[in-house]
Amino acid sequence: MYKKFETSFAGKKLVVETGKMANLSNGSCLVRYGDTAVLVNVNMSKEPKEGIDFLPLSVDYDERLYAVGKIPGGYIKREGKPSTKAVLVSRVIDRPIRPLFPKDYRNDTSINALVLAVDPDILPEIPASVGASIALNISDIPFDTLVGTIKVGIVDGEIVLNPDLAQREKSTLDLTVSATPTKICMIEAGAKEVPDEKMLEAIKVAHAEIKNLCEFIYNIKAEIGKPKSEYKSFAIPEDLADFIKDIAYDKMKEAVQTTDKNQRDENVTKVDNFVIEEYKAKYGEEVYEQNKSMVSEALYKAEKKAVRDLVILEGKRVDGRANDEIRQLSAEVGLFDRVHGSALFSRGLTQVLSMVTLGSSSDVQELDGLDEEETKRYMHHYNMPPYSVGEARPSRGPGRREIGHGALAERALEPVIPSQEEFPYTIRVVSEVLSSNGSTSQGSVCGSTLALMDAGVPIKAPVAGISTGLFTKNGSTDDYIMVTDIQGIEDFFGDMDFKVAGTKTGITAIQVDIKIDGLSYEIIEEAFARTHKARNYILDEVMLKAIDRPREHVSKYAPKIETIKINPDRIRDVIGSGGKTINKIIDETGVKIDIEDDGTVYVAGVDQEMLDKAISIIESLTKDVELNEVYMGKVTKLFQFGALVEILPGKEGLLHISKISNERVNKVEDVLSVGDEILVKVVEIGKEDGKFSLSAKDAMKV
């Protein structure tokens, strides 16, 4: 049955339609926000997935180029695998919703957001996120929490909600906030050194508008929401949980308390094996095989309780650190001569190697998506191979996690990257995670800052990143303990991974993953204070001691790039018919030449002599012949009445026989030959046709 609901959201009309499209889904809605339209469908399998101990939730944000009136490039002419932007939006939709499902729910659940039309002033990820919340709430899927999402910018010092295109271009903040009516449940941000206080203010303003949105969603749910389905619970039976807790808890507490991760893993494995053998002895091999996944989950929960109780009840972290203590740090730069820039950053067992490559403007990444952005000159890629966690399996390329972490590091560093006018290079950074034990994304921020400075990239300020964790008593944000620099085990068993990167001046990026139903303002404020202090410590004590400023020159193995400006009307003179002229320059000098529409010419090459030669040719090609100027020309053709002399590339003038010498010349061939160089002066330029006449006699008088 068709229904239509309307409200005002951040000053713009938001329309939700149901019952018109995709009526076979468990829940579906078409969200129109301005002229942007997104169809969101949610579906649940009829039977649960056996043998797993996690929520099998998938989120897909599908971009279609028809939404912006484009036909895909390439030969295939249809959309392929999701773009990086689509992957990142899928993660943004997923992160606030996942913790709000029942913990014992195991049915396959999918969320699909299909972008149908895009208004440049309204980013489709907002109606997509809002639509996911609405579709879940009105469906029979056992999801029963109101959650909303909004974008926030800062324009001329003022906070702006869901900024339009013009505002986004001027904004110093790109913040996405998801929240329930009472708590913040997701934060994602890129910022141009925004102070902690301003960031917190922006989050509070966002939350106020989200509360209104949640009331709108509640009204839709109250009118058309389906009764929630019963589902098979995968909660661990109480007797099994008690049996394993009784024999495993104390042993687990002892097993996890060591600074050595490998030793800790070995200790936990011994406890696991002991408990399994005890279980088999009591209940038999056959019963164990039937309940194998539940036994495994019960052991996981026993380890989790041991770690959490140590922190919450005894004030101990598993490696003995104080709550605000950072693991041992080290940094090194310039590891490989042939690489344009390199750095190795370590924090405990987390170790990241970052490598920088500098290229010409033709190396920019071309984008074929729904955004206005068509190219990208700064790229950050992140790889986390299996060996980084001690696993023996083949690498299958970057997954969503790797893409997300690379984008987070890219966002953290982008505000300090120099403009193309300041540094005319395309920049690619690759972070290779060599060892992982917590917050590798922030390790890549630190390592990449160092590698950029080692490469001679004049970044505006060094950036560091760190993460804080949270342990709450029974999930209550009123009673909690926060810890700085979480390692892997604290990430797995804690309630929060609050990652913040920034300079000494302010924040450049945030990403918050939460496993409870949300955070209070007090927790967010404390996380900002802790990460600010930790960032400054990492910068002063380690990073700036390894390299305190960008190198004055790029590597001798990096291309040298010179920039010149020519009259845009003369671009065709440099390119030539069918590219003949520019290709000849490239062949002669071995350089790369990129020309912008405004007449900016980038010339890149390793050999400075060839670089200078190419620039000289370009300048001469675009130089205008000037009256009364003297040139060294080359004779190109002889006539009875004189000779043609080339004074600039492609520019020939007539030297009449009477202007060759002060002496009488009877035959041109007597004094000139093709290929001779001769000094000439421009004595006349035609106003209509631009043809010019030359004189060797007058040049002698100068």
Side-chain angles (χ1 to χ4, degrees):
M1 184 175 178
Y2 178 74
K3 289 283 186 177
K4 183 176 180 181
F5 305 88
E6 294 185 17
T7 190
S8 177
F9 181 40
K12 303 180 183 74
K13 186 165 78 169
L14 178 71
V15 179
V16 176
E17 299 175 58
T18 63
K20 185 176 182 179
M21 300 180 183
N23 291 322
L24 292 179
S25 291
N26 292 80
S28 178
C29 61
L30 176 65
V31 182
R32 299 182 188 270
Y33 193 32
D35 287 339
T36 294
V38 181
L39 178 66
V40 182
N41 286 278
V42 296
N43 287 277
M44 173 183 69
S45 64
K46 288 182 170 48
E47 298 297 329
K49 181 174 282 189
E50 301 283 350
I52 61 171
D53 58 0
F54 59 90
L55 169 67
L57 172 67
S58 63
V59 180
D60 292 296
Y61 172 83
D62 287 339
E63 296 177 321
R64 298 290 188 262
L65 289 184
Y66 55 66
V68 289
K70 291 183 182 178
I71 294 175
Y75 295 104
I76 299 176
K77 295 299 178 186
R78 69 173 296 165
E79 293 82 2
K81 68 177 184 177
S83 68
T84 296
K85 177 66 180 292
V87 170
L88 298 178
V89 174
S90 297
R91 285 169 57 85
V92 166
I93 296 171
D94 181 300
R95 295 213 314 274
I97 287 173
R98 185 176 291 271
L100 303 177
F101 278 88
K103 303 302 179 187
D104 58 343
Y105 171 70
R106 296 291 181 269
N107 293 56
D108 276 310
T109 304
S110 68
I111 301 172
N112 180 276
L114 176 62
V115 182
L116 300 175
V118 175
D119 176 348
D121 282 332
I122 297 178
L123 294 170
E125 51 258 46
I126 296 305
S129 299
V130 172
S133 176
I134 294 171
L136 283 168
N137 273 283
I138 65 175
S139 74
D140 58 346
I141 296 172
F143 180 96
D144 208 23
T145 305
L146 304 172
V147 58
T149 302
I150 198 168
K151 281 272 190 185
V152 188
I154 296 177
V155 181
D156 298 328
E158 298 296 320
I159 293 172
V160 180
L161 297 178
N162 287 343
D164 60 27
L165 178 60
Q167 290 170 328
R168 294 197 302 269
E169 289 175 349
K170 295 192 295 182
S171 180
T172 58
L173 175 65
D174 178 11
L175 169 67
T176 306
V177 178
S178 295
T180 66
T182 57
K183 294 179 181 178
I184 305 297
C185 54
M186 198 280 297
I187 304 170
E188 179 107 6
K192 295 179 180 177
E193 300 181 276
V194 172
D196 296 355
E197 301 78 17
K198 193 70 175 180
M199 187 70 76
L200 183 59
E201 181 188 355
I203 292 168
K204 289 180 178 179
V205 172
H207 194 195
E209 186 66 15
I210 287 174
K211 290 177 183 178
N212 297 329
L213 177 65
C214 286
E215 184 177 351
F216 173 65
I217 297 172
Y218 173 80
N219 292 333
I220 298 175
K221 179 180 178 180
E223 184 171 340
I224 64 169
K226 300 176 184 177
K228 295 300 178 182
S229 295
E230 296 293 326
Y231 63 91
K232 179 181 177 181
S233 172
F234 278 74
I236 301 171
E238 191 172 335
D239 59 340
L240 172 59
D242 289 343
F243 171 81
I244 289 179
K245 178 185 172 186
D246 289 344
I247 62 174
Y249 177 72
D250 290 335
K251 287 182 169 58
M252 279 294 185
K253 278 181 70 174
E254 183 179 348
V256 297
Q257 293 185 71
T258 174
T259 58
D260 188 326
K261 180 182 182 298
N262 292 328
Q263 184 63 55
R264 183 184 304 117
D265 292 344
E266 186 178 326
N267 294 345
V268 170
T269 299
K270 287 180 180 178
V271 175
D272 288 347
N273 291 337
F274 169 77
V275 172
I276 289 169
E277 291 304 316
E278 290 291 308
Y279 185 86
K280 289 178 180 178
K282 183 171 182 177
Y283 296 103
E285 184 84 31
E286 186 176 343
V287 174
Y288 168 72
E289 289 299 326
Q290 291 174 352
N291 295 327
K292 191 173 183 179
S293 62
M294 285 192 176
V295 171
S296 176
E297 187 174 354
L299 284 167
Y300 175 88
K301 290 191 172 181
E303 183 183 0
K304 179 177 181 177
K305 180 171 174 54
V307 172
R308 293 179 65 87
D309 284 354
L310 281 169
V311 176
I312 296 169
L313 302 179
E314 300 181 29
K316 295 179 182 178
R317 300 176 73 173
V318 294
D319 57 1
R321 280 184 292 148
N323 288 344
D324 62 349
E325 186 178 348
I326 300 173
R327 287 170 289 172
Q328 185 175 355
L329 301 164
S330 67
E332 185 180 351
V333 299
L335 288 85
F336 307 99
D337 290 340
R338 292 278 173 169
V339 177
H340 300 165
S342 59
L344 181 66
F345 179 82
S346 301
R347 188 182 61 249
L349 276 179
T350 293
Q351 187 180 59
V352 182
L353 176 67
S354 288
M355 312 286 259
V356 174
T357 306
L358 303 178
S360 67
S361 58
S362 61
D363 292 317
V364 298
Q365 181 183 5
E366 294 184 2
L367 304 176
D368 193 14
L370 303 184
D371 290 340
E372 298 295 308
E373 189 180 21
E374 295 182 347
T375 61
K376 182 192 286 189
R377 80 175 257 272
Y378 161 60
M379 298 156 277
H380 192 292
H381 297 145
Y382 167 105
N383 298 312
M384 188 173 170
Y387 63 75
S388 67
V389 289
E391 293 183 358
R393 56 182 172 83
S395 295
R396 300 297 186 196
R400 289 191 170 196
R401 182 179 181 278
E402 285 82 3
I403 291 171
H405 279 11
L408 176 60
E410 182 176 291
R411 193 180 304 119
L413 289 162
E414 194 168 18
V416 301
I417 296 294
S419 67
Q420 188 162 9
E421 290 72 29
E422 296 170 301
F423 190 70
Y425 286 88
T426 295
I427 305 164
R428 181 180 185 235
V429 185
V430 179
S431 289
E432 306 285 359
V433 178
L434 306 183
S435 177
S436 172
N437 189 26
S439 201
T440 52
S441 65
Q442 300 311 288
S444 73
V445 170
C446 299
S448 298
T449 293
L450 297 170
L452 285 164
M453 291 199 288
D454 182 53
V457 179
I459 59 173
K460 297 169 185 176
V463 180
I466 194 69
S467 179
T468 61
L470 188 74
F471 292 87
T472 60
K473 292 184 180 178
N474 302 317
S476 171
T477 53
D478 295 327
D479 194 356
Y480 66 88
I481 291 174
M482 190 176 293
V483 294
T484 301
D485 181 25
I486 56 173
Q487 57 177 308
I489 194 170
E490 294 171 323
D491 185 7
F492 300 149
F493 299 140
D495 297 319
M496 175 184 82
D497 182 5
F498 200 118
K499 298 181 276 283
V500 183
T503 65
K504 289 191 173 185
T505 302
I507 294 169
T508 58
I510 303 174
Q511 189 177 92
V512 182
D513 294 320
I514 305 168
K515 298 174 187 174
I516 52 177
D517 63 355
L519 304 177
S520 65
Y521 296 150
E522 290 74 21
I523 289 174
I524 296 170
E525 187 172 16
E526 182 178 343
F528 283 161
R530 279 177 172 265
T531 52
H532 189 107
K533 179 182 177 182
R535 292 197 318 265
N536 288 350
Y537 176 82
I538 294 169
L539 283 167
D540 290 335
E541 296 301 318
V542 181
M543 292 175 62
L544 296 180
K545 288 181 178 178
I547 182 169
D548 62 355
R549 62 175 61 86
R551 301 199 189 281
E552 294 184 4
H553 304 287
V554 299
S555 165
K556 64 181 179 180
Y557 298 108
K560 313 297 184 293
I561 298 181
E562 301 283 352
T563 306
I564 60 173
K565 195 87 171 178
I566 65 173
N567 186 331
D569 294 337
R570 307 305 296 271
I571 292 175
R572 61 180 179 273
D573 296 329
V574 179
I575 295 175
S577 177
K580 183 178 179 181
T581 304
I582 195 170
N583 287 330
K584 183 180 179 184
I585 301 170
I586 293 169
D587 291 341
E588 286 183 8
T589 61
V591 302
K592 291 177 74 174
I593 301 172
D594 299 299
I595 306 175
E596 304 289 339
D597 291 340
D598 66 354
T600 303
V601 182
Y602 299 100
V603 186
V606 177
D607 188 325
Q608 188 65 49
E609 185 179 342
M610 291 294 101
L611 201 69
D612 293 340
K613 181 179 177 181
I615 291 172
S616 177
I617 295 171
I618 293 169
E619 288 178 337
S620 62
L621 283 169
T622 56
K623 223 180 250 183
D624 289 322
V625 175
E626 296 185 22
L627 188 65
N628 297 323
E629 282 294 312
V630 176
Y631 298 89
M632 179 61 74
K634 181 181 286 189
V635 177
T636 59
K637 197 167 186 179
L638 301 180
F639 305 101
Q640 286 186 344
F641 52 84
L644 281 181
V645 179
E646 185 181 53
I647 61 171
L648 291 172
K651 295 180 174 62
E652 297 174 323
L654 178 63
L655 174 61
H656 194 270
I657 190 170
S658 63
K659 300 290 186 179
I660 293 176
S661 173
N662 289 322
E663 305 295 330
R664 178 179 174 80
V665 177
N666 293 317
K667 292 177 66 176
V668 177
E669 294 87 342
D670 291 342
V671 293
L672 293 177
S673 299
V674 173
D676 285 350
E677 291 189 344
I678 183 171
L679 204 64
V680 292
K681 181 179 179 180
V682 179
V683 293
E684 185 180 356
I685 300 178
K687 291 182 180 180
E688 298 295 329
D689 56 15
K691 292 183 179 180
F692 54 91
S693 300
L694 304 171
S695 171
K697 290 196 302 184
D698 291 333
M700 298 173 192
K701 299 174 184 177
V702 176

